[in-house]
Amino acid sequence: MFLPLAINIFLSATAFVVTNRLIPKLRDMFIKANVFGIDMSKKDKTKIPESIGVVTASVYLVVSFLFIPMPFTQHLLSDSKGSQFPHDEFVELISALLSICCMILLGFADDVLDLRWRIKLLLPTIASLPLLMVYYVNFNSTTVIMPVFVRQLVGHSLNIGFLYYIYMGMLAVFCTNAINILAGINGLEVGQSLVIAISIVLFNCVEIFMGRAEQCHSFSLYMLLPYIGTTYALWLHNKYPSKVFVGDTFCYFSGMTFAVVAILGHFSKTVLLFFIPQVVNFLYSVPQLFHFIPCPRHRLPKYNPSTDKLELSQTTFRYSELHPLGKLAVSIFKHLRLIKWEEKDSIVTTNNFTLINFVILKFGSMREDRVTWILLGIQCVCTGVAFTIRYPLAGYFYN
């Protein structure tokens, strides 16, 4: 493992350098191709290249393709007949890169064509099919270890069969779209993805140190270290004040990468622990995402040019005309003080239901970079919570 890992680290560092130099050189190319946007949270309305995530994803793929033979060099040199060659591990690596490549292609199509939300939910499902097929052929393990408090009812473990594949497909959909939902301000998409990737790498290192499933966690490191290299380079250009926008391509690429290591690394529940802020943001956003409450196309915070700060963005509605589930949601959120509530002449005005707006609600209007740092701080704190749940607390439920 040591030599392939050392080569992977070298390639990851090379990927960082290449990506960091490539992004500035390609900015004008994207603008000339009319792939650009305007930063609505800045006074200066200059053109900023969009969908730069395709650059980092392309560098990641090139580096990963170069790395393909490295974990298998010993087998290739020592066994000319190939009878002992780990074909299952090789197929896992190829299928992982295939799923990621498909997601990059579909993500770039979304950036260019601006696809509908129902299509966005379908794309990760399609891209995850090669992954699920390889999992079926190599493992087909659909048994779930049950917590202590339910073992008297269902036993130590439960085979859920085809439902497990539905769960893994939904995991791919969630990972890709959860990052895309918690986005829209400089450095947030890239920053949260970087924290999640580093968290998973730390988890892999702990597990390898403890002597658990070395092959699975080595595979995860091989996939994530080049990702961290390219993503850190992108963050340097995307952080406040952003010189480039990452686009949906990066969000889909990141989500599928995390889904790949979660499924083939056999630690999908642990990966979800590192998505605590994204899970909270999704649950908080559900009333608007499912249109129980009016949902504008963009729910970004409102920019105040006179103060150069972000303020709450709002939505208005008549409470009496809401869907019953919408009435229930806003009543609960109002009671828990999770939203700002203003009512005049039977017209209700609340903030949009996103974690970004919630931070502004609790901390007040502030500059964009401070909002990002608070949210990344929350992401880091939740990583600590995830490790606490995974190790000290897990023993009480799965001893």
Side-chain angles (χ1 to χ4, degrees), residues 71-354:
F72 312 104
T73 303
Q74 181 179 355
H75 299 281
L76 293 171
L77 295 177
S78 62
D79 186 10
S80 58
K81 294 182 179 180
S83 58
Q84 301 298 320
F85 187 83
H87 294 91
D88 54 342
E89 296 178 19
F90 181 75
V91 172
E92 282 181 26
L93 183 57
I94 297 300
S95 67
L97 293 176
L98 176 59
S99 290
I100 292 172
C101 187
C102 289
M103 200 68 255
I104 294 169
L105 173 63
L106 297 173
F108 189 67
D110 183 22
D111 279 333
V112 175
L113 302 176
D114 193 18
L115 303 175
R116 295 177 179 270
W117 263 106
R118 63 177 67 94
I119 304 299
K120 292 183 180 184
L121 294 177
L122 184 62
L123 297 182
T125 305
I126 296 173
S128 66
L129 290 179
L131 199 64
L132 299 181
M133 284 299 301
V134 169
Y135 184 89
Y136 175 79
V137 172
N138 283 357
F139 304 103
N140 196 27
S141 175
T142 57
T143 300
V144 179
I145 304 299
M146 304 306 294
V148 174
F149 55 86
V150 298
R151 287 179 182 175
Q152 291 183 345
L153 299 176
V154 298
H156 182 271
S157 60
L158 181 66
N159 189 342
I160 60 175
F162 186 70
L163 292 176
Y164 194 80
Y165 289 92
I166 295 177
Y167 157 72
M168 289 191 291
M170 293 178 64
L171 176 67
V173 173
F174 172 78
C175 288
T176 52
N177 285 285
I179 296 173
N180 198 22
I181 294 172
L182 184 57
I185 59 177
N186 291 175
L188 182 56
E189 301 100 308
V190 185
Q192 64 181 300
S193 300
L194 196 58
V195 173
I196 292 171
I198 293 173
S199 302
I200 299 174
V201 166
L202 290 176
F203 167 72
N204 294 146
C205 293
V206 171
E207 290 292 291
I208 291 174
F209 179 77
M210 297 175 70
R212 299 174 180 171
E214 181 175 323
Q215 188 275 325
C216 294
H217 296 290
S218 299
F219 167 81
S220 178
L221 290 176
Y222 297 155
M223 300 300 296
L224 286 179
L225 291 178
Y227 172 84
I228 291 174
T230 57
T231 300
Y232 180 61
L234 179 60
W235 183 77
L236 294 177
H237 296 273
N238 181 244
K239 67 179 182 176
Y240 183 92
S242 179
K243 302 178 184 65
V244 298
F245 292 152
V246 300
D248 289 344
T249 305
F250 174 79
C251 297
Y252 291 159
F253 159 56
S254 299
M256 183 54 70
T257 303
F258 297 143
V260 161
V261 299
I263 293 171
L264 295 182
H266 307 289
F267 49 86
S268 58
K269 295 189 293 294
T270 300
V271 165
L272 284 177
L273 290 176
F274 297 126
F275 275 80
I276 291 176
Q278 288 72 27
V279 172
V280 171
N281 181 64
F282 172 74
L283 295 176
Y284 187 44
S285 300
V286 160
Q288 285 192 308
L289 293 178
F290 290 92
H291 295 281
F292 300 143
I293 295 170
C295 180
R297 178 172 175 79
H298 297 291
R299 301 185 296 162
L300 298 178
K302 181 182 177 182
Y303 175 66
N304 189 335
S306 62
T307 60
D308 194 30
K309 293 181 178 180
L310 298 182
E311 300 175 349
L312 292 174
S313 63
Q314 299 176 330
T315 183
T316 60
F317 52 85
R318 290 185 180 274
Y319 182 81
S320 59
E321 297 177 356
L322 286 181
H323 187 281
L325 292 178
K327 291 181 180 179
L328 176 62
V330 295
S331 298
I332 293 174
F333 287 178
K334 179 184 177 183
H335 179 72
L336 297 177
R337 297 183 180 180
L338 299 179
I339 56 175
K340 181 180 180 181
W341 180 280
E342 295 178 353
E343 188 171 358
K344 183 178 180 181
D345 298 331
S346 300
I347 302 296
V348 176
T349 301
T350 69
N351 57 280
N352 283 308
F353 297 0
T354 67

